[in-house]
Amino acid sequence: MPKGMWVYDPQSGGKSIPKSIQPRIRQRILDHAEKHYADRCNRIDVRFRGKFCYIDAYTEPFVPPDYDPELFGGKSRKERIAQLREIPIHLCRLRYFGDEENWSMAFYTYSNMKYEPCIFDNGSWHGTPEQALDTSSVYLME
């Protein structure tokens, strides 16, 4: 590659997400989650920080009926379930470039404990917040 040649990278750069659009983006994601994933999660959390939008989910935890409180500091089964309900499942991180319909996405990988660049289910590096939720919903499968 010639020196000084500019190459587009959908996983770098971006623009700070304006506060004026944050409520609209949050509502779009929450509406989509309610319509398609209400049976798979208790709630969705949408956070904004600079150029990033993070989407997390909270699910109903499985705690076996033969739960042993001694293994978890003496917490009762009911207390353990309440504790686990507050642990988020990180789904994805969106990167904003100035267009509400074209974001890039990084999928949270639990094997590496970090966000890794990925393409949307449509085969593109760009998509909508709703498409990002659909792509990362693999963690919400029953």
Side-chain angles (χ1 to χ4, degrees), residues 44-104:
I44 296 288
D45 183 37
V46 180
R47 304 176 275 123
F48 298 95
R49 184 170 187 172
K51 58 190 163 199
F52 298 120
C53 171
Y54 296 89
I55 303 175
D56 297 332
Y58 294 82
T59 60
E60 190 61 28
F62 172 75
V63 177
D66 62 346
Y67 168 80
D68 183 0
E70 294 300 315
L71 296 175
F72 297 95
K75 288 187 170 136
S76 70
R77 184 172 186 276
K78 190 175 184 177
E79 290 171 322
R80 181 69 177 148
I81 290 172
Q83 179 187 32
L84 291 173
R85 281 183 184 141
E86 296 305 314
I87 298 174
I89 297 171
H90 303 305
L91 298 178
C92 64
R93 178 188 72 198
L94 300 172
R95 185 183 299 263
Y96 182 68
F97 290 98
D99 180 351
E100 292 181 40
E101 300 302 315
N102 287 297
W103 303 64
S104 69

Side-chain angles (χ1 to χ4, degrees), residues 22-38 41-48 53-58 91 129-130 133:
Q22 290 178 11
R24 183 170 54 248
I25 298 301
R26 176 179 286 111
Q27 197 58 54
R28 283 176 57 180
I29 294 167
L30 295 177
D31 288 347
H32 189 73
E34 178 65 30
K35 183 175 180 184
H36 298 281
Y37 303 103
C41 63
N42 296 339
R43 74 179 198 267
I44 296 288
D45 183 37
V46 180
R47 304 176 275 123
F48 298 95
C53 171
Y54 296 89
I55 303 175
D56 297 332
Y58 294 82
L91 298 178
E130 295 87 350
L133 180 58

